[in-house]
Amino acid sequence: MPYGLTRLHGVTEAQGSYNRHATPQAAGGALARPLLEKAARDLALDAGDRPIVIADYGSSQGRNSLTPIRAAIAALRTRLGPHRPICVVHVDVAENDFSTLFDVLERAPDSYLAEDPDVFPSAVGRSFYRSVLPPRHVDLGWSSYAAVWLSRIPAMVRDHFWPPASTGEARAAFERQGALDWNAFLALRARELRFGGRLVVVLPGLPEEEPSAAASGSHFLMDHANALLSEMVADGSITAEERARMLLPSYPRRRSELLAPFEPDGCFDSLAVEHCEEFPVPDSGWTDYQRNGDGAALAARYAGFYRATFLPTLASGLAPERGAEGRQAFIGRVTEGLKQRLIRQPAPLQLTAQVMVLAKQGPA
Ligand SMILES: C[S@@+](CC[C@H](N)C(=O)[O-])C[C@H]1O[C@@H](n2cnc3c(N)ncnc32)[C@H](O)[C@@H]1O
């Protein structure tokens, strides 16, 4: 691993924090629901009684998987009848908060397990940049806001910590790593899918023409956090060495980057592109703010999203001797600083989501 660091790439804040705060991701995932239902209706099914397998690649703590997986199961049930077993496998890295995930699956009133005793959940704690399931095992794959995280850090970003803010050689290194990881993710999933199976992927969008930090909807949150880190170095809360180790290996891809492996004929490995579309993500926080003018509520909402999604990864750059308490203090300080800045300068997130539907080609 470069720089000799152990890093948590995208691991979300534990104890259900991600579940409580990941509303932008939920809104992005909701846009893909009709395409996921269609994929469940279109995928090849045999007439036997083997369990049907749904894989959720990068599940985090499960809350945002409930609605899409429930919708997919409902679409499958119209074809399978009520009793054919369905296995749902949630894949995430071993450090993920799987306890919260299983708790949510059992208790949430809108869980896909409610009222369907023939659905069987399980989890795999392993990077999806490796094989996580046997060959030709998965009927329907779902991956939402997960494959944006790179497998490794190919470069550091000068005066920032976020790849879209990089330029020159660093930018080229992130583009190369982004392409390598996307190809690897697709090739591994192609092997795990059954013939005629489908994979639905949701990723944050990045405009084609202007692949810079300023072009991405969440850039102002990244810039605020970056300014806060400089303040924390200046006042001695963190050291310059710790700051220099902080990097978010989150790499939003342009549409052309997502489609590049499928050139020139729409196929990569055994996968064919059935659909690729970019949607603006509705932002209920901003809509509420426009209605009620409550800037503190808007700031708390955006800062909570940022905290749960990104701050554990940034905190992994802190010196190990600070321990869990030091990491929590850091996360709390950045979150509070973000809130104050956002109260002073409210702005909309303006996110987009890319949705791809891929079909596994081959004999039925
Ligand atoms: C932003 S969360 C998305 C959670 C959920 N799918 C959603 O739509 O809200 C990204 C998840 O991907 C996981 N992740 C990142 N890199 C991964 C990898 N290499 N293998 C497995 N999971 C990974 C993170 O641990 C995190 O739980």
Side-chain angles (χ1 to χ4, degrees), residues 207-250:
E208 195 63 46
E209 296 310 323
E210 224 186 322
S212 67
S216 168
S218 52
H219 74 95
F220 69 97
L221 294 181
M222 298 293 178
D223 287 349
H224 281 316
N226 195 40
L228 284 163
L229 295 182
S230 298
E231 286 172 22
M232 290 172 77
V233 173
D235 71 17
S237 317
I238 59 172
T239 66
E241 291 72 31
E242 288 175 313
R243 168 63 192 87
R245 286 199 295 261
M246 290 178 185
L247 190 119
L248 283 184
S250 164

Side-chain angles (χ1 to χ4, degrees), residues 18-240:
Y18 181 81
N19 276 351
R20 290 190 295 278
H21 295 294
T23 39
Q25 293 93 327
L31 296 166
R33 184 173 145 183
L35 289 165
L36 180 65
E37 288 169 328
K38 181 174 183 313
R41 288 195 301 271
D42 291 348
L43 61 83
L45 283 178
D46 48 15
D49 58 1
R50 68 166 181 90
I52 299 302
V53 177
I54 301 176
D56 175 19
Y57 296 102
S59 57
S60 184
Q61 296 150 14
R63 170 83 248 164
N64 284 353
S65 300
L66 298 184
T67 304
I69 301 293
R70 207 180 55 244
I73 289 172
L76 285 168
R77 282 278 174 238
T78 62
R79 303 177 65 197
L80 298 171
H83 297 305
R84 186 151 166 189
I86 297 178
C87 296
V88 182
V89 188
H90 298 280
V91 178
D92 210 296
V93 292
E95 296 83 358
N96 181 53
D97 178 5
F98 284 110
S99 303
T100 293
L101 179 140
F102 285 110
D103 194 49
V104 164
L105 295 186
E106 288 303 326
R107 291 169 193 256
D110 57 343
S111 170
Y112 61 75
L113 293 180
E115 295 161 26
D116 195 332
D118 292 304
V119 178
F120 301 89
S122 61
V124 173
R126 180 192 276 185
S127 169
F128 52 51
Y129 291 117
R130 297 168 62 194
S131 285
V132 289
L133 288 163
R136 294 182 299 285
H137 187 71
V138 175
D139 293 277
L140 181 60
W142 165 253
S143 183
S144 173
Y145 288 95
V148 65
W149 291 95
L150 299 176
S151 66
R152 62 181 285 276
I153 294 170
M156 297 308 277
V157 182
R158 193 181 160 87
D159 298 330
H160 216 297
F161 55 77
W162 191 43
S166 63
T167 54
E169 277 185 28
R171 177 80 208 175
F174 281 109
E175 283 177 1
R176 275 195 304 277
Q177 190 65 44
L180 282 174
D181 283 346
W182 181 228
N183 282 24
F185 181 84
L186 292 171
L188 287 160
R189 302 303 76 85
R191 203 158 47 177
E192 290 162 2
L193 273 177
R194 294 176 67 88
F195 294 123
R198 297 290 188 279
L199 172 65
V200 181
V201 185
V202 184
L203 287 165
L206 193 68
E208 195 63 46
E209 296 310 323
E210 224 186 322
S212 67
S216 168
S218 52
H219 74 95
F220 69 97
L221 294 181
M222 298 293 178
D223 287 349
H224 281 316
N226 195 40
L228 284 163
L229 295 182
S230 298
E231 286 172 22
M232 290 172 77
V233 173
D235 71 17
S237 317
I238 59 172
T239 66

